[in-house]
Amino acid sequence: MSPFKIIFSFGVKFLATYFLVFLIAVTTGFDDKVRDFCANSTVRVYDNLIDEAIIQTKPIKEEHRNLLYQIINKNKYEEIQKMLRAGDSNRMDIPTVGYKTNTNNGLLMPFIFLLSLIVAYPSSFRQKIIPLVLGSLLLWIFVFIQIGCSIIYAIDNSEQYFPSYELPNFLRYIVALVEKIFIEVSYIFTVLIWILVGVRLEDFKIKKR
């Protein structure tokens, strides 16, 4: 097959897979399941790792946002609970720091992008399985780290609610950088993952006639 036909076939398969999987995801509610998975798994880890905070999530419907992380100062929360139990007040508002994200842009679409690249690549079905598993795992680790950086960034920039929480300057710089450039580099990172796990060097070797 000529290089043009290979590239053309790759492009057609990529676009067809991308739009078909995207359509299935949004019409079956799979995007909501991705959001809930992202919320539950990140809270389960970061709520235990960050001692100063209680982390909760809530689905939201805003333009470009579908998930809200509510970050509560643990000491303040315990103080309020003690006051409520003592009967000092019937109701007290708990101050929270909010971080909003979009799991469609952050996780679902890059995953569909990665899946489409792997499906379109000219290899056998068996050769696609391991790249898909490894690629999905690496992509999730990348998203997981980004969400953690965003949570830490929100806490570090909330002196009013977390006055005792302060990152070293070099860590603050890294966290802020990851938090700010994530969406811009997510697809670049996805392509790099695909090249790493899905592209084989032997496919580019010139075959002798």
Side-chain angles (χ1 to χ4, degrees), residues 15-34:
L15 291 174
T17 304
Y18 188 88
F19 287 110
L20 178 62
V21 176
F22 173 75
L23 186 63
I24 292 172
V26 297
T27 55
T28 61
F30 183 71
D31 53 340
D32 291 336
K33 289 182 172 59
V34 170

Side-chain angles (χ1 to χ4, degrees), residues 114 131 134-135 138 189-200:
L114 175 66
L134 288 179
L138 289 173
F189 190 78
T190 302
V191 171
L192 292 177
I193 290 175
W194 169 65
I195 293 172
L196 177 66
V197 302
V199 176
R200 301 170 302 166

